[in-house]
Amino acid sequence: MTHILDRPIWNALQTAHAGIAEGGPLARRYPPGIVPFAAAADDTPESLEALAALPRPDETMALVEPGSATVPDGFDIVGAATLIQMIARTPHDPLSDPRITPLTEADAEEMLALAQLTKPGPFTLGAQKLGTFWGIKNSGKLIAMGGQRLRQTGFTELSGLCTHPDFQGKGFGKLLFRYVAGHIAASGATAYLHVNALNTGAIALYKTLGFEQRWELNLKIVRRRD
């Protein structure tokens, strides 16, 4: 029996994020200004043709699928990784901390700069359109953040967790992890996340924070061939 998280991109675009999805019944994507994720309904030629028609020539698509994501004809793979999907074993308790504040559109430039510095995964100025982000600031500057990205019925992805290198090792990442996971649990959803399979340190850390591995996925970033 399949699970809604087995194909997280397609199922998010079919459920909680259907209202912002571009495309149709055979292929869908997020607006590229929000996040580059896209998915075909299946591997039929018709669905792959519909997927190929979504991006403009200067845009990339990020495909995340179990097994090996099928790349449409006329596209080159410009990046790839194996992802580990992890899910909360039990709901996290909500917590509060005066250092943590909701981030707004006014923080978008700082959020993007922090993400580009620490590389937690695909991140854009429009990331907040997918869910709330929270941060910790020092002297008015953003030094750590975490928030929500993909959503499916009953599930919310914890994402964008990162800390400025000058402030790592002070527990800010763990604090924000627990905060976001607790917020997701309080909403009635189950928290989950994706992490690069090569990042064994993060995987070990997330296990100590109450998450367990449930699925392996493959990421392919593709671009239309000139």
Side-chain angles (χ1 to χ4, degrees):
M1 179 180 294
T2 60
H3 189 283
I4 198 168
L5 294 184
D6 290 352
R7 299 193 67 212
I9 308 303
W10 178 253
N11 288 323
L13 291 167
Q14 291 285 97
T15 59
H17 287 157
I20 61 173
E22 297 182 353
L26 296 180
R28 293 189 172 198
R29 73 166 179 173
Y30 286 94
I34 297 178
V35 75
F37 292 127
D42 49 43
D43 287 342
T44 62
E46 294 80 10
S47 293
L48 293 175
E49 183 177 351
L51 179 64
L54 292 177
R56 295 192 297 268
D58 60 333
E59 294 172 346
T60 59
M61 294 189 295
L63 313 177
V64 178
E65 300 287 354
S68 180
T70 302
V71 177
D73 289 340
F75 283 75
D76 291 321
I77 299 172
V78 296
T82 299
L83 304 178
I84 301 299
Q85 185 183 86
M86 303 183 73
I87 191 167
R89 290 191 293 269
T90 57
H92 284 62
D93 293 330
L95 62 84
S96 64
D97 189 296
R99 294 171 293 180
I100 300 175
T101 58
L103 299 176
T104 69
E105 289 186 9
D107 300 300
E109 293 282 355
E110 271 197 286
M111 293 168 66
L112 179 61
L114 183 59
Q116 290 175 334
L117 179 66
T118 58
K119 304 188 186 308
F123 200 90
T124 68
L125 288 172
Q128 293 177 81
K129 290 182 172 64
L130 298 183
T132 305
F133 276 76
W134 295 269
I136 296 174
K137 296 184 179 182
N138 180 269
S139 300
K141 293 195 63 176
L142 183 66
I143 61 170
M145 69 176 181
Q148 306 166 344
R149 186 169 62 179
L150 300 179
R151 296 172 185 264
Q152 300 81 10
T153 304
F155 296 89
T156 300
E157 182 191 26
L158 192 162
S159 183
L161 191 72
C162 54
T163 301
H164 192 284
D166 292 345
F167 294 89
Q168 291 176 1
K170 300 180 183 296
F172 294 141
K174 289 182 181 179
L175 175 61
L176 281 164
F177 185 102
R178 292 191 177 101
Y179 187 93
V180 178
H183 192 277
I184 292 171
S187 75
T190 298
Y192 73 101
L193 59 84
H194 295 103
V195 58
N196 192 306
L198 298 178
N199 195 348
T200 55
I203 293 170
L205 173 62
Y206 298 152
K207 287 180 179 178
T208 69
L209 293 171
F211 276 54
E212 64 185 4
Q213 182 176 335
R214 79 158 296 272
W215 197 240
E216 187 174 290
L217 297 159
N218 288 293
L219 164 69
K220 290 180 180 176
I221 301 173
V222 301
R223 186 189 301 275
R224 189 187 305 275
R225 191 175 301 125
D226 292 336

